[in-house]
């Protein structure tokens, strides 16, 4: 579920997305969470919800998703390239508390402005720093 959003400018409002539920496999925040759950729990989620396509880029095969989740665990963040919405790219990292993912922080925007290179080169470090700050606050807050 999308719980909170902060727009960079006035051209976008989060009012229509806050409180909505989405499939975890089709967005960067969901994939970041799935990558840090036990495999059996991921399999149970997939059994219950399936892998529906939201766009032509959505991962719809289990093996491809598990490969993607392994990559996410290795690099520490997930990316989404028009998998949930056609005009959206995003990067996300999980918030881990007591060894479990409890949420994810996501930076998302128009695909033409947030290219794959820009997400990884410019936004990865600020994202990971924000997640570190949140996790520290959860422990010592």
């Amino acid at each position: 579920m999308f719980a909170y959003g902060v727009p960079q400018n006035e051209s976008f409002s989060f009012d229509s997305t806050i409180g909505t539920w989405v499939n975890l496999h089709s967005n960067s925040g969901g994939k970041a969470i799935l990558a840090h759950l036990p495999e059996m729990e991921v399999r149970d989620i997939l059994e219950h919800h399936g892998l529906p396509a939201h766009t032509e880029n959505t991962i719809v095969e289990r093996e491809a998703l598990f490969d993607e989740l392994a990559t996410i665990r290795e690099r520490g963040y997930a990316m989404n390239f028009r998998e949930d919405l056609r005009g959206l790219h995003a990067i996300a990292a999980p918030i881990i508390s007591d060894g479990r993912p409890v949420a994810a922080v996501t930076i998302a925007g128009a695909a033409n402005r947030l290219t794959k290179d820009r997400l990884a080169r410019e936004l990865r470090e600020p994202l990971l720093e924000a997640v570190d700050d949140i996790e520290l606050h959860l422990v010592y807050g």
Side-chain angles (χ1 to χ4, degrees):
M1 176 177 61
F2 290 107
Y4 184 72
V6 179
Q8 181 182 2
N9 57 45
E10 300 300 319
S11 66
F12 183 78
S13 169
F14 283 94
D15 293 343
S16 63
T17 57
I18 301 302
T20 60
W21 293 87
V22 295
N23 293 100
L24 294 175
H25 75 285
S26 65
N27 65 80
S28 58
K31 290 191 296 183
I33 290 168
L34 285 173
H36 292 84
L37 289 173
E39 184 176 333
M40 286 309 299
E41 193 168 340
V42 174
R43 290 186 184 284
D44 288 345
I45 290 168
L46 298 181
E47 187 66 34
H48 184 70
H49 296 283
L51 290 169
H54 296 274
T55 72
E56 61 277 1
N57 296 328
T58 307
I59 297 171
V60 294
E61 296 176 6
R62 285 179 186 238
E63 188 166 324
L65 179 62
F66 280 104
D67 290 346
E68 174 80 3
L69 298 180
T71 299
I72 292 165
R73 278 190 298 278
E74 287 175 19
R75 70 178 176 215
Y77 61 90
M79 297 171 99
N80 167 7
F81 302 108
R82 297 181 170 114
E83 295 171 50
D84 190 37
L85 297 170
R86 283 187 177 83
L88 186 82
H89 283 177
I91 185 171
I95 297 172
I96 307 294
S97 180
D98 293 327
R100 285 193 52 84
V102 295
V105 175
T106 303
I107 300 171
N112 65 322
R113 289 194 309 263
L114 292 184
T115 63
K116 182 176 185 176
D117 183 58
R118 183 171 181 214
L119 287 171
R121 188 175 27 88
E122 294 178 29
L123 299 175
R124 177 190 50 165
E125 284 306 314
L127 170 71
L128 295 175
E129 289 171 5
V131 167
D132 285 346
D133 289 345
I134 293 167
E135 289 177 346
L136 285 171
H137 184 72
L138 288 173
V139 173
Y140 299 109

